[in-house]
């Protein structure tokens, strides 16, 4: 994309009276045309608790922008609630919404020649969608996270949205009764904010803070607390300063910043979806980031935080324990971060972390000390083999058995698999294969939280493997492998697996293997025929034609 930006904050494209006349109707006076015009991408929506508080944050940011000498112009962006869409055909639109958000923000900012952008977001795809646009445009920008939800409570335990999905499996297995299932549903999400564990929204917000595109501590604040609104106002002030100094996103989103993000991702035990979103953002920023980078960082960075889904604590607990700055200071003290990386504040990362203690407080158990990590290495592993020549992704946190070899139970959609799970037809030792759910085949690469949570709820999380060309929720854990590439829709080997075939998942050896001879695979490949497109018109049809492999971040440009 052309980087034809203004060298000054004056909006040169709006000096002629016809252009200015329209802005006068929106409240511009004579002196306002010399001020930077800043877009506020407002992701407010009542369709999901993640976004219902964002309107207030956008309003606080708008006021702060005016007070700092800018002219804010607010426009809306969309959101899809992954949790509401989960397990339905609507989930196919979730990853697609990332591209819609990115394209919409780019369209408004470039179409109106804006001088800067304050982007807000709450649900999973808001963050990467906004950051893809920010990296593409390279105008001064800051990201404001909507904040995390506070945990629900029932019978002495903290609840998150994943608790509700796992409760379905518990109910089917006879572990809880129907009133108990209903009580968990009623209490899991008590108010505004994004899903409370280190799931996708909290993960991506944390990584943006680690990369320097959001303010320190902002990614773990509760959506309902005053400090979150105050942080939105401070973000606006920081953005105006960045416009004056022309600190641009690609000055911040360097290779060093992405390496810092990878390090923090592993230390947090963060969402598998980061393996899609970080490469997509890097692609927009012109930085090379591959699956091998994730594997390399996973081998050398320990998991320091005991966070849900596989751990005990939620994001609000992490915030009280010192948040992302505390985690980063530990990593920095052990030589794992680039301290010279620039942040949107104009400070380097080392300067931001200067006053943070090198050791976490002994009064908390959320952030572990360096000698006693939750796991000695990262929780994400890239697997390869004849079932995943381009790579596949395994999440190893909480997994008791790192290897499983079993008979394939093959399903050509998530719905067919769920019927088998809820019908108690999956047995210990099985390897469930869900295919034609990839970026192109789904289309949209649905999350498989419903089947994985149902397996966990039935007590099969450690004894059943699951392999898919779809993806997983940040709330998923267990012996699961996703992002299998090439996907089934383009003739990847996953399309050739037959019921009863032996499949190996070995996270220690980084292996995903179909135990069938090369000759038999070649015979099956010759006989294979692609499914006709599931959609021939509309956004899903367009997405299926454009989208790349999951191994490249499922980008569309």
């Amino acid at each position: 994309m052309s980087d034809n930006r203004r060298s000054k904050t004056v909006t040169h494209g709006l000096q002629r009276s016809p252009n200015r006349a329209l802005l006068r109707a929106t409240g511009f006076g004579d002196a306002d045309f010399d001020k930077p015009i800043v877009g506020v991408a407002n992701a407010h929506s009542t369709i999901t608790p993640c976004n219902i508080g964002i309107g207030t944050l956008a309003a606080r940011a708008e006021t702060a922008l005016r007070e700092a000498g800018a002219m804010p112009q607010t426009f809306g962006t969309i959101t899809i609630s992954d949790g509401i869409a989960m397990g339905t055909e609507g989930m196919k639109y979730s990853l697609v919404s990332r591209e819609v958000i990115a394209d919409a923000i780019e369209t408004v900012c470039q179409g109106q020649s804006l001088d800067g952008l304050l982007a807000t977001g709450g649900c999973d795809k808001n963050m990467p969608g906004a950051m893809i646009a920010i990296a593409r445009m390279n105008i001064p920008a800051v990201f404001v996270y909507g904040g995390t939800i506070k945990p629900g409570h029932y019978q002495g335990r903290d609840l998150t949205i994943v608790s509700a999905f796992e409760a379905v499996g518990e109910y089917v297995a006879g572990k809880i009764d129907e009133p108990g299932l209903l009580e968990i549903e009623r209490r899991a999400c008590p108010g505004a904010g994004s899903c409370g564990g280190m799931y996708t929204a909290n993960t991506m917000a944390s990584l943006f803070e680690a990369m320097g595109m959001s303010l320190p501590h902002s990614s773990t604040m509760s959506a309902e607390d005053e400090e979150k609104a105050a942080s939105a106002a401070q973000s606006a002030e920081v953005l105006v300063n960045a416009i004056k100094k022309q600190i641009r996103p690609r000055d911040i989103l360097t290779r060093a910043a992405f390496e810092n993000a990878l390090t923090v991702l592993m230390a947090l035990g963060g969402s598998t979806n980061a393996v899609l979103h970080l490469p997509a953002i890097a692609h927009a920023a012109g930085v090379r980031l591959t699956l091998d980078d994730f594997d390399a960082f996973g081998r050398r960075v320990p998991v320091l935080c005991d966070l849900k889904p596989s751990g005990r604590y939620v994001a609000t607990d992490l915030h009280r324990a010192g948040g992302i700055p505390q985690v980063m200071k530990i990593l920095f003290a052990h030589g794992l971060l680039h301290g010279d990386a620039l942040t949107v504040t104009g400070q380097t990362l080392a300067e931001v972390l200067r006053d943070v203690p090198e050791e976490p407080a002994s009064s908390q158990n959320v952030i572990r000390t360096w000698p006693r990590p939750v796991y000695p290495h990262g929780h994400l592993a890239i697997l390869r083999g004849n079932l995943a020549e381009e790579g596949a992704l395994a999440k190893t946190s909480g997994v008791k058995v790192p290897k499983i070899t079993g008979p394939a139970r093959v399903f050509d959609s998530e719905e067919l698999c769920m019927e088998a799970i809820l019908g108690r037809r999956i047995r210990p030792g099985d390897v469930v294969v869900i295919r034609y759910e990839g970026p192109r085949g789904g289309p949209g690469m649905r999350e498989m939280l419903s089947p994985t949570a149902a397996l966990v709820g039935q007590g099969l999380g450690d004894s059943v493997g699951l392999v898919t060309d779809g993806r997983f929720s940040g709330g998923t854990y267990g012996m699961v492998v996703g992002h299998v590439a090439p996907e089934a829709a383009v003739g990847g080997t996953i399309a050739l697996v037959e019921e009863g075939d032996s499949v190996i998942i070995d996270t220690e050896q980084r292996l995903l293997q179909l135990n069938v001879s090369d000759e038999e695979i070649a015979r099956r490949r010759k006989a294979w025929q692609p499914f006709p497109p599931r959609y021939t018109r509309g956004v899903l049809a367009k997405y299926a034609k454009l989208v790349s492999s999951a191994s490249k971040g499922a980008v569309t440009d």
Side-chain angles (χ1 to χ4, degrees):
M1 172 178 292
S2 169
D3 191 23
N4 186 22
R5 295 284 104 200
R6 310 172 189 82
S7 61
K8 296 187 291 184
T9 59
V10 173
T11 313
H12 297 300
L14 300 174
Q15 297 310 296
R16 295 176 181 171
S17 58
N19 308 83
R20 299 182 359 163
L22 290 168
L23 286 175
R24 288 185 187 279
T26 71
F28 275 64
D30 289 344
D32 295 328
F33 292 103
D34 292 330
K35 300 175 182 178
I37 301 178
V38 177
V40 178
N42 184 353
H44 172 80
S45 171
T46 60
I47 205 167
T48 169
C50 311
N51 293 55
I52 58 176
I54 287 178
T56 300
L57 302 185
R60 282 286 291 270
E62 183 177 345
T63 298
L65 285 167
R66 290 185 189 278
E67 292 174 350
M71 288 301 290
Q73 298 288 283
T74 300
F75 60 93
T77 63
I78 69 158
T79 193
I80 295 291
S81 171
D82 289 10
I84 295 171
M86 198 72 68
T88 74
E89 195 78 357
M91 190 64 198
K92 293 180 178 180
Y93 289 85
S94 170
L95 187 58
V96 176
S97 74
R98 184 189 77 178
E99 309 308 302
V100 177
I101 292 165
D103 293 349
I105 292 174
E106 175 194 340
T107 300
V108 174
C109 291
Q110 300 289 63
Q112 302 304 130
S113 300
L114 300 183
D115 296 293
L117 171 68
L118 185 146
T120 66
C123 205
D124 292 4
K125 306 311 170 296
N126 300 175
M127 277 69 69
M131 198 58 63
I132 288 169
I134 285 169
R136 282 181 193 166
M137 298 184 301
N138 202 32
I139 60 174
V142 69
F143 184 82
V144 174
Y145 183 41
T148 185
I149 197 171
K150 294 180 179 179
H153 304 282
Y154 181 60
Q155 293 186 340
R157 64 183 177 119
D158 286 348
L159 300 178
T160 70
I161 183 59
V162 175
S163 306
F165 282 91
E166 291 178 357
V168 174
E170 293 171 350
Y171 173 72
V172 170
K175 297 180 179 180
I176 60 173
D177 57 17
E178 188 170 352
L181 174 63
L182 184 58
E183 285 304 309
I184 291 173
E185 176 203 307
R186 285 171 172 162
R187 300 165 186 260
C189 299
S194 300
C195 299
M198 192 46 65
Y199 310 146
T200 302
N202 283 330
T203 295
M204 296 311 300
S206 298
L207 300 188
F208 289 1
E209 181 179 329
M211 296 168 82
M213 289 302 302
S214 295
L215 298 194
H217 295 285
S218 65
S219 63
T220 52
M221 293 174 178
S222 168
E224 297 180 331
D225 288 347
E226 166 58 24
E227 66 175 345
K228 171 69 348 197
S231 177
Q234 185 185 358
S235 298
E237 296 166 4
V238 165
L239 174 58
V240 173
N241 182 65
I243 294 171
K244 291 176 180 177
K245 294 185 176 179
Q246 282 299 286
I247 300 172
R248 304 188 186 201
R250 290 185 205 165
D251 299 327
I252 300 167
L253 296 173
T254 61
R255 172 72 190 190
F258 283 97
E259 290 188 356
N260 286 345
L262 289 176
T263 302
V264 172
L265 171 66
M266 299 304 167
L268 292 174
S271 169
T272 55
N273 280 307
V275 183
L276 280 176
H277 300 324
L278 284 178
I281 297 165
H283 174 75
V287 174
R288 178 171 169 77
L289 194 69
T290 70
L291 293 183
D292 291 335
D293 291 317
F294 286 87
D295 204 57
F297 278 78
R299 290 178 186 271
R300 67 174 180 257
V301 180
V303 177
L304 295 176
C305 300
D306 188 9
L307 296 167
K308 289 180 182 293
S310 59
R312 294 179 291 170
Y313 299 102
V314 295
T316 50
D317 298 318
L318 176 60
H319 188 63
R320 286 190 290 269
I324 301 305
Q326 180 62 81
V327 176
M328 294 187 79
K329 187 58 176 280
I330 299 170
L331 296 167
F332 181 64
H334 288 85
L336 291 178
L337 293 179
H338 299 283
D340 57 350
L342 182 66
T343 74
V344 71
T345 66
Q347 296 176 298
T348 65
L349 179 64
E351 291 170 333
V352 169
L353 299 176
R354 179 183 295 133
D355 297 328
V356 179
E358 291 188 2
E359 294 290 328
S362 59
S363 59
Q364 57 80 47
N365 296 309
V366 186
I367 306 172
R368 299 284 188 88
T369 58
W370 186 261
R372 49 181 296 271
V374 180
Y375 302 103
H377 51 73
H379 62 302
L380 301 180
I382 303 302
L383 311 187
R384 298 186 191 272
N386 65 2
L387 253 181
E389 290 149 331
E390 293 179 14
L393 173 65
K395 187 175 184 179
T396 61
S397 53
V399 173
K400 297 177 182 177
V401 181
K403 177 180 178 179
I404 184 170
T405 301
R409 304 295 309 281
V410 183
F411 305 95
D412 287 343
S413 71
E414 179 187 8
E415 288 84 356
L416 292 172
C417 179
M418 278 299 291
E419 288 179 14
I421 294 172
L422 297 180
R424 308 298 300 275
R425 300 198 299 273
I426 303 300
R427 299 286 182 262
D430 287 346
V431 176
V432 173
V433 177
I434 308 176
R435 62 192 181 189
Y436 294 100
E437 291 287 5
R440 184 174 298 182
M445 203 178 181
R446 286 193 288 184
E447 290 181 349
M448 301 293 129
L449 177 60
S450 294
T452 57
L455 288 170
V456 170
Q458 289 182 20
L460 297 174
D462 294 317
S463 60
V464 170
L466 190 148
V467 176
T468 181
D469 55 6
R471 60 193 177 93
F472 296 116
S473 163
T476 295
Y477 63 100
M479 179 56 81
V480 296
V481 180
H483 303 204
V484 171
E487 62 175 291
V490 300
T493 305
I494 190 173
L496 311 179
V497 181
E498 295 182 357
E499 187 80 9
D501 283 347
S502 173
V503 173
I504 298 176
I505 304 171
D506 189 334
T507 59
E508 291 180 334
Q509 299 299 316
R510 303 297 201 259
L511 180 65
L512 183 63
Q513 186 79 13
L514 175 64
N515 290 327
V516 172
S517 70
D518 292 343
E519 292 77 14
E520 175 62 14
I521 291 174
R523 185 193 67 78
R524 293 181 189 181
R525 193 178 305 282
K526 186 175 181 180
W528 176 79
Q529 294 291 325
F531 283 176
R534 285 172 165 159
Y535 293 84
T536 57
R537 301 184 68 180
V539 66
L540 292 182
K542 288 188 285 188
Y543 182 85
K545 291 177 182 177
L546 293 172
V547 69
S548 74
S549 168
S551 64
K552 298 180 179 179
V555 297
T556 55
D557 64 342

